[in-house]
Amino acid sequence: MTMKRRAIVWFRQDLRLHDNEALQDALRNAYEVIPVYIFDERTFKGKTSFGFPKTGKYRAQFIIESVADLRHSLRKLNSELIVRVGKTEDILFAMAKECKTSWIFCNRERTAEEARIQDELENRLWSIGQEMRYNRGKMLYYTADLPFPIQHTPDVFTQFRKEVERIVPVREPLPKPDRTFNPLSFEFPAGDIPTLEDLGHDEDDFTAPDPRVVLSFKGGETEGIKRLQYYLWETNLIKNYKETRNGLLGGDYSSKLSPWLAQGCLSPKLIYHELKKYEAQRGANESTYWLFFELLWRDFFRFMGKKHGNKIFQIGGTRGQADPRWTENPQVLQKWIEGATGVPFIDANMLELKYTGFMSNRGRQNVASFLVKDLNINWQMGAEYFESTLIDYDACSNWGNWNYIAGVGSDPREDRYFNTLTQAKRYDPHGDYVKHWLPELADIPADKVHESELM
Ligand SMILES: Cc1cc2nc3c(=O)[nH]c(=O)nc-3n(C[C@H](O)[C@H](O)[C@H](O)COP(=O)(O)OP(=O)(O)OC[C@H]3O[C@@H](n4cnc5c(N)ncnc54)[C@H](O)[C@@H]3O)c2cc1C
């Protein structure tokens, strides 16, 4: 390195030190590295097109905690996370100009809103002779490693899986930086991490979280790694994952890694390599494979997003075929949101989402199918409500799954339909789950509880 050059590392949905390519690249290329996180006002204070808050309180709280954890970890490396609230491209451009940086490093996003911001910033940087440097950070597989060009990615998951899982190696995750950062040659105010109230939510909601929550999710890399250790090494829960993953109650039926994955507190490559280590030391079985299988779904939806672009957000989905029966009836939608449809299995799941920000995969499949196929509501309304409320919202996973369930995505099975009653009896045979969320059903016998709306 000849000159003492400066760089900004723009943290986005990669709130971690391990396996962070943008951070490592910046440390390799620049003498002074300035880590920054922006709470973008459009993401945190804006509304979706059907009027839901863009980022609901559970996710906002999780992100606040994740940013605080990242700041804490960076301080141990003699660095400081600069935090701001506002319009990302304005803030970063002003900072780049003032600090006379050479580059902004970031992990590239592909979905429309995120890409628009990064493109705008890149254009502005060019005007002052600076550059964006993009890295990869979200997936198991890199586009460049795929055995086909992105436009030829199979639209059917099984085909995709078979073409990648046996031949494409998952790269090793990068370690955390192993040295302290060089001190900055100027003072820069660190900025406060906003509170929930600053972001337009009621702080009181978090003084007494709903005790029925499956897990008290706490944001940040530290907690994400703890959860991974717990699920694999401390409890061996992973050994039975395939049998328990369709559960509904408690913290242990599935990994619950999704919120940490969504904010990038955990790298999927780290999870994969921990799984491999676990298999080598404690044995492989169908369950240890199945967690990898589910992570492949995550990658698959991301590749679908990359291949089909904005189609995943449009009513016709990646297939381009909307159902003419769909309506946008706000009263019906509201009943679904409030858990007031009268169908216990649907209502219990919707109440769980409303009061905790989480819902099991089985629940998500059922409530989504019910909204679209039984209530005939435009699926985009449901997807937006999920976007607003889920603690683990991830654009490609959410919109990809909704495409799939609504029948406008890549499901090879025509007209997939979840029969709520059959599903409820199968996955909640004693009614424990519905009674947990609907205590008024406590005295109804198990064999009647799922049909209690008929009584
Ligand atoms: C309508 C609908 C919307 C969804 N929205 C989201 C979302 O916004 N964010 C999100 O992370 N997941 C979403 N999912 C997928 C899935 O429900 C969650 O990933 C899972 O319930 C999270 O719990 P877990 O971490 O315990 O999962 P586990 O069963 O332990 O799975 C491990 C990981 O695999 C990935 N995974 C599992 N199933 C899927 C799937 N079907 N699609 C994509 N990735 C998967 C997740 O990253 C998950 O954390 C959605 C599913 C449906 C049906």
Side-chain angles (χ1 to χ4, degrees), residues 241 254-258 261 294 361 364 392 394 398 401:
Y241 168 70
S254 64
S255 75
K256 309 292 188 306
L257 294 173
S258 54
L261 277 164
E294 294 300 342
N361 186 55
R364 293 181 207 203
D392 63 10
D394 168 286
N398 185 56
N401 271 290

Side-chain angles (χ1 to χ4, degrees), residues 81-124:
L81 181 67
I82 309 294
V83 175
R84 297 285 183 272
V85 180
K87 257 179 117 176
T88 300
E89 59 276 35
D90 292 350
I91 293 169
L92 285 175
F93 178 67
M95 228 178 233
K97 215 165 153 188
E98 189 186 335
C99 303
K100 299 192 174 50
T101 53
S102 299
W103 313 278
I104 294 184
F105 289 86
C106 72
N107 286 306
R108 187 174 216 140
E109 296 286 349
R110 291 288 180 182
T111 36
E113 287 166 11
E114 292 76 10
R116 209 174 301 126
I117 293 174
Q118 91 203 354
D119 291 349
E120 171 65 27
L121 179 60
E122 183 169 33
N123 281 331
R124 291 204 208 165

Side-chain angles (χ1 to χ4, degrees), residues 179-378:
R179 63 166 177 89
T180 53
F181 287 39
N182 293 324
L184 299 186
S185 49
F186 56 93
E187 288 280 317
F188 212 74
D192 291 330
I193 298 175
T195 61
L196 262 190
E197 218 159 14
D198 297 333
L199 300 177
H201 301 286
D202 194 347
E203 291 273 1
D204 289 348
D205 290 344
F206 283 87
T207 49
D210 196 304
R212 294 169 296 178
V213 66
V214 281
L215 194 74
S216 51
F217 294 101
K218 190 166 185 332
E221 178 180 21
T222 311
E223 292 293 325
I225 290 175
K226 263 195 217 163
R227 176 69 193 172
L228 180 62
Q229 294 296 322
Y230 171 85
Y231 199 73
L232 270 58
W233 300 102
E234 287 171 28
T235 59
N236 290 308
L237 284 165
I238 182 65
K239 274 211 154 86
N240 298 312
Y241 168 70
K242 191 157 185 255
E243 290 78 50
T244 59
R245 57 183 274 277
N246 279 308
L248 300 161
L249 280 169
D252 289 348
Y253 62 79
S254 64
S255 75
K256 309 292 188 306
L257 294 173
S258 54
W260 290 284
L261 277 164
Q263 295 310 320
C265 304
L266 276 179
S267 152
K269 284 185 266 150
L270 179 77
I271 300 176
Y272 174 82
H273 284 283
E274 280 295 305
L275 268 175
K276 290 286 132 191
K277 225 191 287 171
Y278 182 92
E279 288 180 338
Q281 291 182 24
R282 298 200 185 163
N285 65 13
E286 267 201 285
S287 285
T288 55
Y289 167 73
W290 216 260
L291 192 67
F292 166 63
F293 177 95
E294 294 300 342
L295 289 172
L296 275 178
W297 270 105
R298 182 175 176 274
D299 264 34
F300 171 71
F301 283 128
R302 207 167 294 280
F303 284 122
M304 287 297 99
K306 203 167 168 189
K307 175 176 174 182
H308 295 286
N310 279 343
K311 279 185 173 179
I312 62 167
F313 303 114
Q314 292 162 4
I315 191 163
T318 56
R319 276 199 189 176
Q321 277 171 1
D323 187 328
R325 288 169 298 180
W326 289 333
T327 67
E328 291 179 4
N329 184 325
Q331 286 84 27
V332 176
L333 178 75
Q334 201 55 32
K335 287 204 163 167
W336 178 78
I337 288 174
E338 297 295 334
T341 65
V343 181
F345 194 58
I346 299 301
D347 292 348
N349 274 292
M350 293 307 293
L351 290 172
E352 179 178 5
L353 178 59
K354 179 178 170 181
Y355 291 119
T356 71
F358 190 82
M359 189 195 292
S360 68
N361 186 55
R362 186 53 48 189
R364 293 181 207 203
Q365 289 175 320
N366 273 278
V367 301
S369 169
F370 186 79
L371 182 77
V372 181
K373 307 249 163 104
D374 291 302
L375 300 178
N376 281 325
I377 296 292
N378 173 0

